[in-house]
Amino acid sequence: MGRKHQGSVGFIGLGTMGREMARNLLEAGFAVRVFDVVPAAIDALVALGAQAASGPADAARDADIAITMLPDTPQVEEVVLGAGGLRADPPRGRLVVDMSTIAPVAVRRMAADLKASGIDMIDAPVSGGPMGAKNAALSIMAGGEAEAFARALPYFEAMGTTINHVGGPGAGQAVKLCNQLICGINIQAICEALALGRACGVDLDQLRQVLLGGSAASWMLDRLGPAMIAGDDAAGFRIDLMLKDLRLVQEQALALAVPLPATALVTSQYVEARAHGEGANGNQALFRVYDRMANQPRQTVDG
Ligand code: NAD
């Protein structure tokens, strides 16, 4: 298979999303050097043709672009600003792209900090879940300078299909927080519909099919509905990560005095889910909150 691209990437963070994104970069022909704190995650990518790195700077040093896909703001700050990080030892191309979902204010701080060292930063969070990552079909919402976005675009095109430059530093994260607010409230609406349908004795698979054909259709109902109905809590997007996103939404909203009552309500349900040990389960496990409120026996995939 001939290389379609000449560029090189240092990719840091090979979890649910990052491993698929790094694989798609490899498949597009880029040279990819990878790092994760979990050695097995590195090995899995090396088996697909990536090079192993001993740390973030080692992954990025000889690359045109460094991409991070990490859980939350502190991990990105550590990898970018910490000892052995990308600010102290930047990629050859002096371009850092964070694709995690983190606080917009932290992005603006980091972008200014990096700029002072002659390094460009783009925030480019994604939507589309693990399947979107696997199929290189992510929606990518990017913030930062236009020239830096243009340099990152060929790499984005290897990972996504809907790619938008939405403003300056932090703008990508602002759009992603709006996305997450809708996702969280939408999952809650689906839980409520399934809880009511179940109590009415309606067949839930049929209910979902009917709803998908009308104005209640949504990505969440389509993708998470089957797992909710089957009681399959296996993670895709973890409850813990959504709780992190809803916290970021509310921190941003409070800073700007924007009232978001529905977000506050659904956040308390996510808190309840985590308190019942569901943090590592997928978002579909929010339905368990409704099981508990209705005192319904827990349904599981095993019956
Ligand atoms: P994940 O927890 O599966 O993966 C994160 C990876 O980062 C892990 O492999 C972890 O070992 C690694 N890591 C943590 N700290 C590190 C460090 N200091 N240095 C190197 N590696 C480190 O998370 P994910 O589901 O892949 O999500 C990543 C980001 O993307 C999060 O911000 C999440 O909110 C966002 N996101 C996730 C989804 C989804 O459906 N899972 C969808 C869109 C966006």
Side-chain angles (χ1 to χ4, degrees):
M1 191 177 72
R3 280 191 183 284
K4 283 179 276 174
H5 287 285
Q6 298 300 318
S8 54
V9 190
F11 201 105
I12 300 138
L14 307 166
T16 307
M17 300 293 285
R19 63 174 169 252
E20 303 296 343
M21 295 157 71
R23 187 183 48 73
N24 282 322
L25 287 163
L26 278 169
E27 279 184 12
F30 293 110
V32 184
R33 194 167 166 88
V34 294
F35 178 70
D36 193 288
V37 286
V38 177
I42 298 177
D43 296 343
L45 262 295
V46 168
L48 299 175
Q51 289 180 295
S54 58
D58 183 42
R61 196 171 294 123
D62 293 327
D64 296 307
I65 177 173
I67 298 179
T68 51
M69 192 55 172
L70 299 160
D72 197 354
T73 310
Q75 291 83 26
V76 178
E77 286 180 337
E78 182 194 328
V79 163
V80 173
L81 305 177
L86 302 174
R87 178 180 55 176
D89 200 349
R92 191 184 55 209
R94 305 193 84 78
L95 178 58
V96 171
V97 175
D98 177 47
M99 303 190 76
S100 331
T101 306
I102 68 169
V105 63
V107 170
R108 284 194 288 273
R109 264 198 316 263
M110 269 186 283
D113 213 334
L114 290 176
K115 194 74 196 165
S117 302
I119 305 161
D120 290 309
M121 180 173 186
I122 294 284
D123 53 302
V126 305
S127 182
M131 284 308 285
K134 189 173 162 48
N135 298 330
L138 292 169
S139 172
I140 300 173
M141 39 213 110
E145 289 178 10
E147 184 273 334
F149 172 76
R151 281 196 288 143
L153 189 56
Y155 302 86
F156 291 154
E157 285 170 345
M159 297 182 279
T161 44
T162 305
I163 300 159
N164 288 289
H165 182 215
V166 294
Q173 295 295 351
V175 173
K176 173 66 179 176
L177 295 186
C178 296
N179 185 87
Q180 292 310 87
L181 172 168
I182 294 171
C183 291
I185 296 171
N186 188 234
I187 294 169
Q188 182 200 33
I190 295 164
C191 290
E192 294 209 3
L194 292 178
L196 179 61
R198 178 172 61 186
C200 293
V202 172
D203 178 80
L204 295 187
D205 291 317
Q206 193 182 21
L207 172 65
R208 173 177 161 274
Q209 283 303 334
V210 172
L211 295 178
L212 282 175
S215 55
S218 72
W219 191 100
M220 290 293 169
L221 181 62
D222 185 25
R223 310 293 169 91
L224 295 191
M228 278 186 196
I229 294 166
D232 177 2
D233 296 336
F237 183 51
R238 297 194 304 273
I239 291 271
D240 276 341
L241 284 178
M242 180 58 108
L243 204 41
K244 177 261 301 180
D245 291 352
L246 293 172
R247 170 176 57 74
L248 295 174
V249 169
Q250 295 193 84
E251 284 171 359
Q252 183 68 82
L254 281 173
L256 299 171
V258 180
L260 300 178
T263 304
L265 176 60
V266 73
T267 302
S268 67
Q269 294 184 334
Y270 275 90
V271 169
E272 197 267 13
R274 182 158 71 181
H276 282 85
E278 313 255 25
N281 288 338
N283 270 235
Q284 61 276 15
L286 197 73
F287 194 38
R288 303 277 81 80
V289 175
Y290 284 80
D291 286 351
R292 288 187 284 272
M293 288 194 294
N295 197 22
Q296 288 278 340
R298 182 189 162 85
Q299 297 177 337
T300 69
V301 274
D302 304 322

